Amino acid sequence: MFADRARIIIKSGKGGDGHVSFRREKYVPNGGPDGGDGGKGGDVIFQVDSGVNTLANYRHKHKFAATAGQEGGKKNCHGKNGEDIVLKVPEGTVVYEAQSGKVICDMSGENKRVVVLEGGIGGLGNQHFATSKMQAPKYAKPGGDSIELEVILELKSIADVGLVGFPNVGKSTFLSRVTNANPKIANYHFTTIQPNLGVVDLDHSNSFVIADIPGLIEGASSGVGLGYEFLRHIERTKVIVHIVDGASVEGRDPIDDINAINEEMSMYDSHLLDKPQVIALNKMDVCPDRVEEIIQKVTKDVKIDNVKVVGISAVTGKGIKELLWHINDLLKECNNDIITYEQEFDPGNLINEEEPITIEIDKDGNYIVEGPRIEKMLSYTNLESEKGFLFFQNFLKEQKINEKLEEMGIEEGDTVIMYGLAFEYYK
């Protein structure tokens, strides 16, 4: 089954923790700190693969994670960096942040390889914290956290021209005649269940790509039928070609069909109607004596400005060359740049987001101070040593926690509690 949408969870690697160790050599009984740094965590990378044309690889597996960096070692040994994970996708895949629906990256144009989540940085070993006053630090910095993010992948085909129409009007037959594509063709509804791409070569200097979009039906924009699943493939196209049953072989009214499909496209995305449109009245070989009559009637009654109506037969090929050259002329008036979606959500901000520090006063008058930064700091600080406690005091000052406590009216001798650690406050 064709897969052009997937919902997955991606996770970068955690940075390796810095190491705490000291030189221990035969004639150096009191060696200095030599704890090595932790390795960087692996990145999550999206990469365009020209050999892939669906998102089928993400249909059954939904979690993808890079590996963590290795902890630093003794003798200044640097921990090994975590391995990146590279997720291969077809060109035209748009990556969205699942909760907000905002674009993270569009794997189109020059975006062939994008780092979406960076791994955590490696923590510093205790050698970095040695000073003239603190020559034997017993703490090291932990590695940066990993980031987990749920994303939605959507494949939006990259084509110059989009063929739209109701089921069984001859889009696949038309595509097979004018391009090198080999779509499935049969005389029943919904033969096409996936977008088909083909290249039209008019001559050495004029060519374009056509996408055959599965047949739309009324209500498609609201989720009815197969067509809704593929409306997204029209978004990148520059010109829209309506293929309609001009001869009403199945009793359909071509004008009603054109108006109904435009209504569905408008409800899905009103900007789709800003694109140039062409109407191809197919199956005109069935009523050759009425071709001009039908063309004039459709031109007069259809609700589209400045639209060209062409009578064709996908079976015999009549009228097709005129249609293709007209499409080619319209494309020359369009911007040649690939339609891409700008980034709206930067996962890098998840790393830099300010982690909140909360201060509350309990019923006993104790000041309860909590926050992720404090919890991390306490995990690698030895408060039993004088130097470790000095480091802890400097941390409180740098984070302006003391200042906030004083703003809340704390006085000397009052109790401050941080994750089970209780101490009396003194300026």
Side-chain angles (χ1 to χ4, degrees):
M1 183 176 180
F2 181 76
D4 65 349
R5 195 172 192 274
R7 192 182 189 104
I8 64 174
I9 295 173
I10 56 178
K11 185 177 182 181
S12 61
K14 179 187 180 301
D17 295 337
H19 189 70
V20 176
S21 62
F22 298 90
R23 290 175 59 195
R24 292 292 182 264
E25 298 175 18
K26 186 173 182 180
Y27 299 107
V28 189
N30 295 311
D34 68 350
D37 301 342
K40 178 185 176 297
D43 299 334
V44 177
I45 301 170
F46 280 86
Q47 180 174 304
V48 171
D49 185 343
S50 59
V52 176
N53 56 18
T54 77
L55 297 172
N57 290 341
Y58 307 100
R59 177 173 291 277
H60 301 295
K61 184 178 179 181
H62 303 289
K63 292 185 178 181
F64 300 86
T67 61
Q70 190 179 49
E71 181 184 352
K74 299 178 180 180
K75 299 181 180 180
N76 301 325
C77 288
H78 193 290
K80 182 181 178 181
N81 292 340
E83 293 185 6
D84 300 334
I85 184 168
V86 179
L87 304 180
K88 295 183 178 180
V89 295
E91 185 172 10
T93 300
V94 183
V95 183
Y96 298 90
E97 196 276 322
Q99 299 303 316
S100 64
K102 293 182 178 180
V103 175
I104 296 175
C105 64
D106 183 351
M107 303 302 295
S108 306
E110 297 180 355
N111 286 345
K112 302 299 183 184
R113 183 180 173 94
V114 178
V115 178
V116 172
L117 294 182
E118 291 191 0
I121 60 174
L124 300 177
N126 68 332
Q127 59 173 309
H128 294 279
F129 300 99
T131 66
S132 58
K133 296 181 179 180
M134 187 187 299
Q135 298 179 9
K138 295 181 180 179
Y139 50 83
K141 190 174 182 180
D145 289 337
S146 62
I147 303 175
E148 184 172 285
L149 188 65
E150 186 175 24
V151 298
I152 293 173
L153 310 181
E154 277 192 356
L155 175 58
K156 298 177 187 288
S157 297
I158 297 178
D160 301 304
V161 180
L163 300 183
V164 298
F166 275 77
N168 207 33
V169 295
K171 298 194 307 300
S172 296
T173 303
F174 174 81
L175 187 72
S176 66
R177 173 172 280 276
V178 301
T179 74
N180 55 357
N182 294 300
K184 182 179 179 181
I185 300 172
N187 188 29
Y188 53 88
H189 289 183
F190 298 112
T191 304
T192 302
I193 59 173
Q194 68 183 57
N196 290 301
L197 298 181
V199 178
V200 174
D201 286 313
L202 293 175
D203 57 32
H204 295 299
S205 59
N206 293 280
S207 65
F208 51 85
V209 178
I210 291 184
D212 170 20
I213 311 301
L216 299 179
I217 63 174
E218 292 180 82
S221 60
S222 302
V224 178
L226 291 172
Y228 168 76
E229 293 297 324
F230 303 104
L231 275 166
R232 66 179 68 96
H233 294 282
I234 307 174
E235 293 181 50
R236 292 193 199 270
T237 60
K238 299 169 185 175
V239 174
I240 294 175
V241 178
H242 289 263
I243 304 289
V244 295
D245 180 359
S248 301
V249 173
E250 296 190 354
R252 305 197 64 89
D253 185 309
I255 297 171
D256 288 345
D257 283 1
I258 293 164
N259 292 335
I261 287 175
N262 271 346
E263 179 67 19
E264 293 303 326
M265 289 195 297
S266 175
M267 292 175 68
Y268 178 79
D269 182 350
S270 60
H271 296 296
L272 293 178
L273 298 189
D274 296 334
K275 301 176 185 291
Q277 296 190 31
V278 184
I279 296 172
L281 300 175
N282 192 25
K283 304 185 182 182
M284 300 309 291
D285 54 298
V286 176
C287 51
D289 299 334
R290 298 180 56 229
V291 173
E292 289 302 319
E293 173 193 342
I294 296 172
I295 289 176
Q296 291 178 13
K297 177 175 174 55
V298 172
T299 302
K300 177 183 176 181
D301 295 345
V302 76
K303 299 176 182 178
I304 307 175
D305 296 330
N306 302 317
V307 65
K308 185 176 181 66
V309 181
V310 180
I312 67 167
S313 170
V315 173
T316 67
K318 186 175 180 58
I320 286 181
K321 183 169 289 188
E322 177 191 357
L323 172 63
L324 295 179
W325 278 107
H326 177 66
I327 293 171
N328 190 67
D329 291 340
L330 289 177
L331 289 171
K332 287 182 177 179
E333 298 174 5
C334 298
N335 190 324
N336 289 327
D337 295 337
I338 295 175
I339 298 171
T340 58
Y341 297 84
E342 297 296 326
Q343 184 180 46
E344 301 170 330
F345 182 93
D346 184 2
N349 292 334
L350 297 174
I351 302 172
N352 300 322
E353 277 186 346
E354 191 70 15
E355 295 175 322
I357 292 177
T358 62
I359 303 176
E360 297 178 354
I361 304 175
D362 66 13
K363 61 181 180 179
D364 297 322
N366 300 318
Y367 288 78
I368 311 299
V369 183
E370 294 183 340
R373 280 175 288 169
I374 295 174
E375 189 173 16
K376 291 176 189 175
M377 182 274 301
L378 291 175
S379 70
Y380 62 80
T381 304
N382 180 13
L383 297 180
E384 295 181 0
S385 70
E386 182 179 349
K387 294 175 181 178
F389 194 77
L390 178 61
F391 176 82
F392 171 66
Q393 291 288 352
N394 288 335
F395 174 85
L396 298 182
K397 184 178 180 180
E398 291 172 358
Q399 301 298 323
K400 298 184 178 180
I401 295 173
N402 289 346
E403 185 178 315
K404 294 175 183 177
L405 287 168
E406 290 177 7
E407 288 176 359
M408 296 180 66
I410 195 169
E411 297 181 357
E412 290 194 1
D414 287 346
T415 301
V416 178
I417 300 176
M418 297 182 182
Y419 293 96
L421 171 68
F423 60 93
E424 293 184 356
Y425 180 80
Y426 291 100
K427 294 183 181 180

